Amino acid sequence: MVKVGLIFSLLCFSCSLFAQQQKVGLVLSGGAAKGLAHIGVLKALEDNEIPIDYIVGTSMGGIVGGCYAAGMSPGQIEDIMTSKEFLNWVNGKIEEKNSYYYHKKEEGPSFLKVNLSLDSTFNFILNSSLANDLALNFAIAEKLAQSSSGSKNNFDSLFVPIRIMASDIFTQTQVELANGSLSDALRATQTAPFFYTPIKIEGKYLFDGGIYNNFPVDVMQKIFKPDVVVGVNVSSKVYDQYPYGEDEKLISRSLLYMLLDKSDPSKIPLTGIYIQPNLKKFSGFDFASAKALIDSGYAQTMRQINEIKRKIKSRITCEDVAQKRNRFNSSLAPIKVNQITFDGFDRSQQKYLNRFFKNGKRPLYLGDITKGYFQLISDDYFNNVFPSFVYNPVSKDYNFKLAKRQTNNFQVDFGGIIATRNISNIYLGLNYYSFERVLMHTQLGFSTGDFYKSGQLKVRFDFPFFGQFYAEPEVTINNWNFLQGSDIIAQKFSPTVLNRYDRKYGLSVGFPVAHQIKAFVNGAYFDNDDRYIDTKVLTSTDTLDQLGLNGARLGVGFSFNSLNRKQYASQGKAFTISGNYFTLQEEFVPGSTSQIRTPQQNNRSWLQAKVSIEQYIKKGIYSSGYLIEGVLSNQPTFTNYFGTIINAPAFNPLQDSRTLLLKNFRAFNYAAVGWRNVFAIRKNLDFRLEGYVFKPLQIISEGADQRAKIEQQLEQIYFAGMADLVMHSTVGPISLSLNYYDDPNRQLGVLLHVGFLLFNKTSLE
C-alpha cells in the first residue's frame, strides 16, 4: 500500500513537473486584414491562463505577434487596431494634427500621378508601389522603438521571444528575422510586392513573409522546439469556386489572393492545436471591420478551449502575465534622441534635412521627432524616406535614422474633364525635383480644350536658412473662350462672345506661420487681352472690342487648407485672407458694336482685400458645411460696361461658375454666404444640396452709352443653388447636377462631368 502511494505521488510530481516545463509556441499566419483575428486568439488564451512562450509570425501575424512580444497586452493591441488612427495609417492618410499645409501645392485637375526615378543617364525607373506608407512607417517605428531598449535589439530578449518572417525575392528564400530593429522587421514582413515599397535590412530588400512561408510551423519547431504548437491560420481560401461575374473587379487584388492560400493545416503535429476562425465573410481589405475580426478570433478559440486545455497542462495566471509584462515595460528607456542619421544623403542635403529637427540641437524627444518627420514628408519629394529608431545600449538613448529609398524625382500627372457642355479638356503635368543645397521643384502643366487652354511653368526653391521659406517664379498663359450655347435640358441662352488671353509673370515667396498656416507675398506683371461684343447678337461683319490691361500686382496674405478633397469636399476647413495693390494701363480699341468710337488709354490703380472661409462638420453620414466670402476694394470702372464687369471680382460658388459669365455675381465690393449639405449614400457616393446668397455692396450697371456706372442698392441680393449626385472615382468626381443661378441669361442648367473642373487663377484673382 505504501509502495502504491509512493508511486502515485511520484506520478503526480512528474506530471506537475512536466506541466511546469511544458513550452507553448504560437504560430500566426499572414492574411492582411484577416490577421486582426489573431488579437482575439491572444485575448482568449490569456483569459484562460494558457502560456505563450514563443511566437513566429508572418505578415499581419508578424505585426500582431510583434506587438505582443514588445510588451503590449491584447487589449492595448485591440485599442490600436480599432482606432481611427490605424485606419488612416493603412489607408495612407496623414492625420490633420500632423498635416502641414506649407508644402501643399496649388490644386490642379490631375487624377493620376506616375512616379518615376530619373538618373544621370536619363533612364527612367517606375515606382510601382500603390500605397502611401509614410504615416504607417512612423507609427510602427514609434510604438515599437522602446522594446528595442528592453531587448537590446535581440528578439529572444523581448517580452516573448519571437521570429518574424520575411522574403528575399531575388534568391527566392525565406528570411527569419531574429535581431535588430523590431519595427523594421514588422514593416518588412507586411511588404506585399507592388503594394508597399520594400525596405532594406542588412543591405537586402525584403518583402512579405507570406510569399514563401505563410504558416511557419516548421520555423517554430526548428528554432524554439516547443512541446505544443498552436497554429492560427487566417488565410483560408477566398473562393471555393471561380467567381464568375465578379472576376473583373477582383482581378486587381489577385496578388493578395496568391499570398492568402498557402497555409497547410497538416504542418501542425498531432500534439498541437490548429485554429482557423471563420472569416469567409471578410476580405483582406476589411480593416474597417477590425472589431468583428477580433471577435471572430476570440470566438473560435473559445470553441476549442477544452481541446487547448487538454493538450496544454501549463497555466499562468493573468496576474502573473501582467506582472511579467510590467517588469519588461519598466525596463524600457524613454525615447530621447541624441543622434540623427541621414542614410543616403550627402553633406549638403543633410544640412537641409537638419532644419526640420531643430537645426542640429540635441537631445530631441518624441514630439520633436514627430513634428520634424511630418513636416519633411509633407513635401512630395520626401515620400521616399524610411524612419526607424535604433537603441544604443552604451549611451542608453536612441538614434533616429532616415533612410533614403528609391528617389521619385520625376512625376507625370494626367487629368482633364469630360462634360456635357463645351468645357471638356485634357491635362498633362510634368514635375522634376533636384535636391542639392536647396530643393528645387520644376512644374510644367498644359491644358487644352474648346473652352480653356493653358500653359504654366513654375520653379519652386525651398531654402534651408532664415528659418524656412520658398521662392517660386512662374509664367502662366491662359485662354478662355466663353462662347456658350444650349444646355443639356435644351434651354437656350444668349451666347457670350468673350475671348480672354491672360498672361502672368510672377514671383511668390512663402513661409510657414504657426502649425499649418502659410503666409505669402507675391507680385506679378500681367498682360491681358479681352475681346468681346457689346450686343447680344454677333454677325459675321462685326469686329470685336479689344481691351488690353498691362501692369503689376503686389499682394500679401495667409492661407490654410485641410479639406479632404480638392473638389466636392465633405470634411476639413480652408481659409484665405489676402490684400492686393494693382496698378495698370488700360488700352481700349472699340469694335463695330461699341458706341464709344475712339480708342481710349487710361491709368488705373486700386487696393483690394478678400477673405474666404470654408468648413465642414461631419456627423455620421451627414456633413454640414458653410462658405463665407467677401471683397472690399476701391477698384475703378474701365472704359465700358462689359470690360468693367468681366474684370470685376467674381463669386464662384458652384463647380461650373468659372465657366460662365454671371454678371449678377460680380462686384467690386460684396459679401456672400453659403450652406452645403452632404449626405454619404455609400462609401464613395454623395448627394449634395447647396444654397448661396450673394450681396453686392455696390451694383455695376450699364449706362445709356455702354459705360459702366456704380449704383448704391442695399436691398438687392442674388441666389444660387445646386442639387448634385457625386461619385468619387479613380478618375476624379463623376457629377450630375442641377444648378440654379439668379441670372437672366443662365438660370437653370444640368451638368454631367467626369474629372476635376479646376482652372488656373486669372492674373487679377
Side-chain angles (χ1 to χ4, degrees), residues 39 93 102 123 296 324 381 505 605 611 642 716 725 742:
I39 303 171
K93 295 180 180 179
Y102 169 74
N123 288 319
S296 296
K324 179 184 175 185
Y381 178 76
Y505 313 91
S605 62
V611 59
F642 200 84
Q716 187 66 59
L725 193 64
D742 200 348

Side-chain angles (χ1 to χ4, degrees), residues 212-233:
Y212 298 121
N213 195 343
N214 199 48
F215 197 40
V217 175
D218 56 333
V219 177
M220 171 64 76
Q221 293 173 314
K222 178 184 71 174
I223 295 176
F224 294 116
K225 300 178 176 61
D227 299 296
V228 181
V229 175
V230 179
V232 187
N233 175 33

Side-chain angles (χ1 to χ4, degrees), residues 4-34:
V4 173
L6 181 61
I7 293 171
F8 180 76
S9 298
L10 288 172
L11 286 172
C12 290
F13 176 77
S14 299
C15 291
S16 174
L17 185 64
F18 174 75
Q20 291 174 2
Q21 293 177 342
Q22 194 179 30
K23 297 296 183 180
V24 179
L26 182 63
V27 178
L28 305 178
S29 80
K34 294 184 179 185

Side-chain angles (χ1 to χ4, degrees), residues 105-362:
K105 308 302 187 293
E106 192 167 321
E107 300 288 13
S110 68
F111 57 76
L112 174 65
K113 298 180 184 294
V114 178
N115 291 314
L116 301 167
S117 179
L118 176 64
D119 61 23
S120 58
T121 60
F122 295 97
N123 288 319
F124 287 98
I125 302 174
L126 174 66
N127 179 1
S128 57
S129 299
L130 301 177
N132 181 333
D133 61 358
L134 295 171
L136 177 66
N137 293 340
F138 189 83
I140 294 175
E142 174 221 326
K143 295 191 177 299
L144 297 174
Q146 290 176 269
S147 61
S148 296
S149 66
S151 67
K152 295 181 174 55
N153 303 319
N154 181 352
F155 295 178
D156 285 338
S157 299
L158 290 164
F159 170 65
V160 174
I162 191 171
R163 291 296 182 272
I164 305 296
M165 302 302 298
S167 299
D168 179 351
I169 64 169
F170 295 108
T171 62
Q172 298 182 346
T173 55
Q174 68 183 34
V175 179
E176 301 144 14
L177 299 173
N179 50 56
S181 167
L182 180 62
S183 63
D184 285 4
L186 267 57
R187 175 57 179 79
T189 194
Q190 63 154 12
T191 306
F194 308 111
F195 195 75
Y196 284 124
T197 302
I199 68 166
K200 277 188 174 182
I201 295 181
E202 295 183 356
K204 295 181 179 180
Y205 280 116
L206 298 183
F207 289 84
D208 194 305
I211 296 174
Y212 298 121
N213 195 343
N214 199 48
F215 197 40
V217 175
D218 56 333
V219 177
M220 171 64 76
Q221 293 173 314
K222 178 184 71 174
I223 295 176
F224 294 116
K225 300 178 176 61
D227 299 296
V228 181
V229 175
V230 179
V232 187
N233 175 33
V234 296
S235 60
S236 57
K237 192 179 294 184
V238 181
Y239 295 97
D240 292 321
Q241 297 180 347
Y242 190 86
Y244 292 105
E246 298 182 76
D247 50 359
E248 293 293 339
K249 66 180 181 180
L250 295 172
I251 192 65
S252 62
R253 302 178 179 181
S254 57
L255 178 64
L256 179 62
Y257 299 141
M258 289 168 61
L259 296 176
L260 288 181
D261 193 29
K262 292 188 178 179
S263 302
D264 183 2
S266 65
K267 288 184 176 182
I268 300 292
L270 294 177
T271 56
I273 300 104
Y274 178 75
I275 300 174
Q276 182 170 320
N278 183 5
L279 306 175
K280 284 205 168 185
K281 66 179 180 179
F282 301 102
S283 79
F285 295 90
D286 281 338
F287 288 99
S289 303
K291 188 67 173 66
L293 287 161
I294 294 169
D295 290 344
S296 296
Y298 188 91
Q300 183 59 41
T301 307
M302 292 305 297
R303 291 188 194 101
Q304 297 179 235
I305 198 64
N306 290 333
E307 176 196 1
I308 295 170
K309 288 183 175 180
R310 186 172 65 253
K311 292 184 177 181
I312 301 174
K313 303 299 183 182
S314 298
R315 297 290 182 270
I316 182 169
T317 66
C318 295
E319 292 77 13
D320 288 341
V321 174
Q323 289 178 6
K324 179 184 175 185
R325 184 176 286 119
N326 289 336
R327 284 196 301 271
F328 177 80
N329 288 328
S330 64
S331 69
L332 308 184
I335 296 179
K336 183 175 72 171
V337 174
N338 271 309
Q339 182 180 359
I340 296 183
T341 302
F342 302 106
D343 187 11
F345 298 95
D346 63 32
R347 186 180 297 274
S348 61
Q349 292 172 334
Q350 291 181 27
K351 182 179 179 181
Y352 179 95
L353 296 172
N354 245 325
R355 74 174 187 179
F356 294 94
F357 301 97
K358 293 194 171 182
N359 283 321
K361 294 180 181 179
R362 303 293 182 265

Side-chain angles (χ1 to χ4, degrees), residues 422-439:
N422 68 333
I423 55 177
S424 302
N425 65 45
I426 58 174
Y427 172 81
L428 173 66
L430 303 174
N431 299 266
Y432 177 71
Y433 291 88
S434 176
F435 183 32
E436 295 299 335
R437 294 181 179 273
V438 300
L439 177 63

Side-chain angles (χ1 to χ4, degrees), residues 86-93 132 196 285 287 683:
F86 177 74
L87 273 179
N88 287 336
W89 299 337
V90 297
N91 289 324
K93 295 180 180 179
N132 181 333
Y196 284 124
F285 295 90
F287 288 99
K683 181 180 179 181

